[in-house]
Amino acid sequence: MDPILLYGFPKGSSMGLVAALEWLGKPYRLCRVDMMGEMRSQSYARINPRHETPVFITEQGEVLTETMAIAAWLEARDVERRISFDPLSRQADRMHQLMAFVNTGFTAAFAPLWAAMEAEAMEPATKSALRAFGTGRVIERHDKLEGMIEARQFLLGDRPTLADAVLVGVARWLDFHAVAESSRWPKLAALRARLEADPGVLYATALEDGDSGLGTGSCTGHVALADVIERFGK
């Protein structure tokens, strides 16, 4: 069986993992999940009781959650080193460092902004406070990431890796939440422009928007969420 990635829309961080699967070039399938509806249902809890995406179904039918765990699964099977490096190399250490930073503090900085946007019954003053706090955190984390980016095409060289995949799905939240102009961080803005023009990222974005797109051919099709839950849910 081809592995299956459950990816969320709209603006899911899992978009980057779709791109990573395209870069990896091995057969996989996808399952599209509406995070504002399907993901919140009780039936979805059979796949992930935390009601989150991404979720990955391995070739053996095992359910794997959390971005870093899925990325580690992909890295271990990247024998041709298309999206990673020799695990004992300095490049691998640097990749893991960047991935960890993006997946923890950088991503978490947006949490107050998502909370303020999604909570319908929240008091206006509370929403305003969350917005102010979240904005400050996002700017501070962007400042830190800007200082970590080196003079390369992508985060770790002339080709995108798992570190770029973890970043690209989240970096666009800066624009979505209208925190600040991306030009405030020129190195990050240039990196985002290169990633967003990459064929794998364009394909992943098209899928997220509901279009079929033109990928590498590695994706062997979509699976209905109901079928995934019925077959692999607890």
Side-chain angles (χ1 to χ4, degrees):
M1 169 186 109
D2 294 337
I4 305 168
L5 175 70
L6 281 68
Y7 68 98
F9 76 94
K11 302 295 181 184
S13 62
S14 48
M15 180 271 277
L17 289 175
V18 178
L21 286 164
E22 284 291 290
W23 300 335
L24 186 61
K26 296 182 178 181
Y28 70 94
R29 291 187 290 171
L30 290 169
C31 178
R32 180 176 163 86
V33 179
D34 179 358
M35 295 188 296
M36 304 304 291
E38 294 170 318
M39 191 179 75
R40 301 181 180 185
S41 70
Q42 285 304 308
S43 61
Y44 188 83
R46 293 174 55 193
I47 288 290
N48 187 348
R50 290 174 297 286
H51 295 272
E52 296 172 348
T53 58
V55 175
F56 195 73
I57 312 296
T58 71
E59 294 151 312
Q60 291 75 37
E62 297 172 350
V63 178
L64 189 61
T65 65
E66 309 304 328
T67 295
M68 292 296 285
I70 297 169
W73 191 96
L74 295 174
E75 180 182 6
R77 288 152 182 81
D78 181 24
V79 294
E80 296 176 343
R81 299 301 168 203
R82 293 184 175 183
I83 57 174
S84 63
F85 303 94
D86 182 320
L88 298 180
S89 67
R90 175 69 184 97
Q91 295 100 317
D93 292 340
R94 178 66 172 166
M95 184 181 78
H96 295 151
Q97 176 188 359
L98 288 163
M99 289 167 64
F101 175 82
V102 171
N103 193 61
T104 55
F106 188 86
T107 299
F110 288 94
L113 301 178
W114 286 114
M117 187 191 79
E118 294 173 1
E120 297 178 359
M122 187 178 292
E123 291 291 331
T126 305
K127 282 194 176 188
S128 179
L130 281 173
R131 285 273 320 163
F133 176 73
T135 295
R137 289 293 294 161
V138 167
I139 289 173
E140 186 268 343
R141 292 288 90 182
H142 275 68
D143 289 344
K144 293 292 191 296
L145 182 57
E146 180 77 0
M148 298 168 72
I149 296 174
E150 300 174 354
R152 295 170 172 167
Q153 283 291 102
F154 298 100
L155 280 174
L156 291 143
D158 60 0
R159 60 180 171 88
T161 67
L162 284 165
D164 298 283
V166 172
L167 173 63
V168 72
V170 177
R172 60 198 176 145
W173 294 351
L174 178 78
D175 308 325
F176 181 77
H177 288 288
V179 173
E181 293 295 329
S182 60
S183 57
R184 178 170 177 164
W185 301 278
K187 289 189 290 185
L188 180 54
L191 173 62
R192 281 185 57 189
R194 286 189 289 271
L195 282 169
E196 290 166 4
D198 175 87
V201 175
L202 289 171
Y203 175 67
T205 305
L207 291 177
E208 185 185 58
D209 292 339
D211 299 328
S212 58
L214 293 174
T216 61
S218 298
C219 180
T220 57
H222 271 70
V223 184
L225 177 59
D227 293 340
V228 172
I229 293 172
E230 179 63 27
R231 183 174 177 184
F232 302 106
K234 295 179 181 179

